[in-house]
Amino acid sequence: MLCVGGRSASVPVYRRLVEHTGGKFLHHDGGEEHNLHQLDAALVAADLVLCQTGCISHDAYWKVKGHCKRTGKRCVFVETPSQSALQRALRAATAPDSPADIP
């Protein structure tokens, strides 16, 4: 499960939430410090993408959106960078037969 964006101080919390659901956690900061070229490899490796739209560059947003549309990869966009918003997104993303949330 790839989490794109979010507050860097909260990454350990995001990791714990994802791993609690049984997922393997991957993270890319959305272009703040990580190179956007690294995002390509992370997107390919992920089965599911959680994209925190308020905490990433415009380029990263469009890269995530385009990749998920092209590949049909499940993606949930999270507008608020908070633990509770991420928990809701995880529940929605891991629910049986949940559709991708691609705007």
Side-chain angles (χ1 to χ4, degrees):
M1 190 174 303
L2 172 63
C3 182
V4 180
R7 296 186 177 111
S8 59
S10 298
V11 170
V13 174
Y14 304 153
R15 176 181 302 280
R16 192 169 47 252
L17 289 171
V18 168
E19 290 176 351
H20 181 72
T21 66
K24 180 179 176 193
F25 180 79
L26 301 170
H27 180 259
H28 188 282
D29 71 4
E32 297 298 317
E33 292 182 23
H34 297 154
N35 185 309
L36 279 179
H37 296 294
Q38 294 170 326
L39 181 55
D40 292 324
L43 286 165
V44 169
D47 294 324
L48 169 68
V49 179
L50 298 173
C51 182
Q52 299 192 60
T53 59
C55 300
I56 63 172
S57 70
H58 284 68
D59 289 340
Y61 171 84
W62 290 110
K63 188 175 286 260
V64 168
K65 184 174 179 177
H67 175 85
C68 291
K69 274 193 167 187
R70 273 191 317 280
T71 63
K73 190 163 292 194
R74 293 177 56 197
C75 183
V76 177
F77 290 90
V78 182
E79 291 185 24
T80 307
S82 70
Q83 180 176 342
S84 60
L86 189 66
Q87 284 175 311
R88 285 190 301 275
L90 279 169
R91 278 195 300 274
T94 58
D97 300 323
S98 67
D101 182 20
I102 301 174

